[in-house]
Amino acid sequence: MTFSILSASQSAVMIAIVTRGNGTESAGILSIAFAVAYLMYTIGAYGARDFHATDSLRQYSYNEYKRLRLISCGVMIFISLLYCLGKGYERDKLTVVILVCMLKLVEAMEDLYHGEFQRAGRLDIAGRLGAFRLFLSYVFFALFIFLTHNLLVSIASLIFLSVIMMLINENLLGKYVIKIEKGRNRKTLLELVMVCFPLFIMLFLSIYISNAPKYAIDKYLSEQEQAYYAIISMPVFTINLLSGIVYRPKLLHMAELWNMDDRAGFKKLIWKQVQIIIIISIVINIAGCMIGLKLLEMIYGVSLTALTKEFAILLLGGGMVAMYGFFSACLTIMRKQVFMLAIAVFVMALAGMIANPMVRYAGLTGATALYLILMLGELLSVLIILGICLHRSNKTKANKSLDNS
């Protein structure tokens, strides 16, 4: 739980430190750097984490997952450099974006180890290691920012620390892998690439969609406005974070229920998690409207009173993001992830049509409204598809029962 909290709040914490230490212009640069880096991270992770962690039947070995991750991280390096150089950023901004991409590269490898820990039933080890790394990262980053006021040196220190922790993860994982890796691989690397490809494309497009307002802000507005958008969108990730803490540990159990054809138990667990996400969303929306902006002003040290409307719009989108993430994980467990690709393509097309005009002509208000529209499109689409898949699975199970009788 601690790792999930620290991980989901990574960009928010670092932006808060930079806002306090270097001002909103540097914070805006760091915000777009994270938006780009998270997009590149999806290339490195290749959408394999949930599939890996819920591979309870061990269709693929750890070595196959590792080879896949090494290849995808190599591609991530190439695409990150190509993208950053192609944007035409000035030197300091370009260097910051590339460094944050390299930081996420190390985290993409760490995610491989955490996925295997989770599949082996030792998510607690992954959580402790990840939490320790992030805690040290925040301490190191704050010290370097306030002592040197140099954003480049501060990020470089985090990369060095993350590499050390990644090597520790790999060493500790070895004793668990040795116990469970037996015999020859039953599946080929190419098969795993093809299986995870829809998940990768979906996550890549999903990150692009969720950050579409930031990319448009980067194109039309100032670094300061980029920083303000990042600050008021922080509670959105809080909703998603708390919801993920609730449902992510349940994914392995849900996968086991699905593999045992316990459809009733599977649907019951889905409904239970949905109720929890709704409650979390309502509580944070109410609290956010009452004291949210004041708290953010205290944390970041900037005035946000002029952004009350924009903040309320983002809060509405937060619950939609959390629900969409959970429903997407359910489709992955059902091995229906190919449908998530269709959702992502649809909403991506919508973003391509409306993102630039909304931000160009309506500024930050347009950016927040854009976010709400895109998240609503994702949620409605995944809800419809999940309902259809569950209905069909029930019919299939009923037909098997009749045949057996």
Side-chain angles (χ1 to χ4, degrees), residues 146-347:
F146 291 116
L147 290 176
T148 69
H149 298 284
N150 190 315
L151 187 56
L152 302 180
V153 172
S154 301
I155 298 172
S157 70
L158 298 191
I159 296 173
F160 177 74
L161 175 63
S162 296
V163 169
I164 293 175
M165 290 302 301
M166 180 190 70
L167 296 176
I168 293 174
N169 270 272
E170 185 172 24
N171 288 333
L172 290 178
L173 181 63
K175 50 186 173 182
Y176 295 99
V177 174
I178 290 172
K179 291 180 180 180
I180 58 180
E181 294 288 275
K182 297 179 180 179
R184 298 179 61 185
N185 297 332
R186 293 179 294 166
K187 299 287 182 179
T188 66
L189 177 62
L190 181 59
E191 287 176 333
L192 185 57
V193 169
M194 297 304 295
V195 167
C196 292
F197 182 73
L199 285 170
F200 154 64
I201 293 296
M202 184 280 301
L203 287 173
F204 182 87
L205 295 180
S206 179
I207 291 295
Y208 183 89
I209 291 164
S210 64
N211 284 318
K214 291 185 179 181
Y215 302 135
I217 291 172
D218 187 46
K219 187 174 183 179
Y220 294 109
L221 305 181
S222 68
E223 305 294 1
Q224 286 84 358
E225 287 170 302
Q226 184 75 262
Y228 287 135
Y229 179 86
I231 292 170
I232 63 174
S233 63
M234 192 269 285
V236 171
F237 298 102
T238 302
I239 297 174
N240 197 30
L241 159 69
L242 295 177
S243 301
I245 290 173
V246 171
Y247 76 74
R248 188 167 291 277
K250 304 292 184 182
L251 293 181
L252 183 59
H253 179 49
M254 292 179 69
E256 292 169 347
L257 291 174
W258 179 261
N259 291 330
M260 292 187 299
D261 281 336
D262 186 357
R263 299 295 184 261
F266 184 73
K267 289 193 292 184
K268 182 178 180 181
L269 200 50
I270 288 179
W271 175 235
K272 181 179 179 180
Q273 302 308 310
V274 166
Q275 289 176 303
I276 295 174
I277 294 173
I278 290 174
I279 292 172
I280 291 173
S281 301
I282 292 174
V283 170
I284 293 181
N285 271 264
I286 294 174
C289 290
M290 294 174 61
I291 60 173
L293 282 181
K294 293 297 182 181
L295 287 176
L296 291 176
E297 287 178 340
M298 292 173 58
I299 294 170
Y300 290 90
V302 296
S303 176
L304 302 171
T305 53
L307 300 174
T308 302
K309 177 175 61 177
E310 290 79 3
F311 181 64
I313 293 173
L314 288 174
L315 283 176
L316 288 176
M320 297 179 189
V321 175
M323 198 70 74
Y324 172 75
F326 173 62
F327 287 151
S328 297
C330 292
L331 285 178
T332 300
I333 290 172
M334 299 165 68
R335 299 309 186 232
K336 302 293 184 182
Q337 59 268 20
V338 67
F339 292 109
M340 291 148 59
L341 176 59
I343 296 173
V345 170
F346 164 69
V347 181

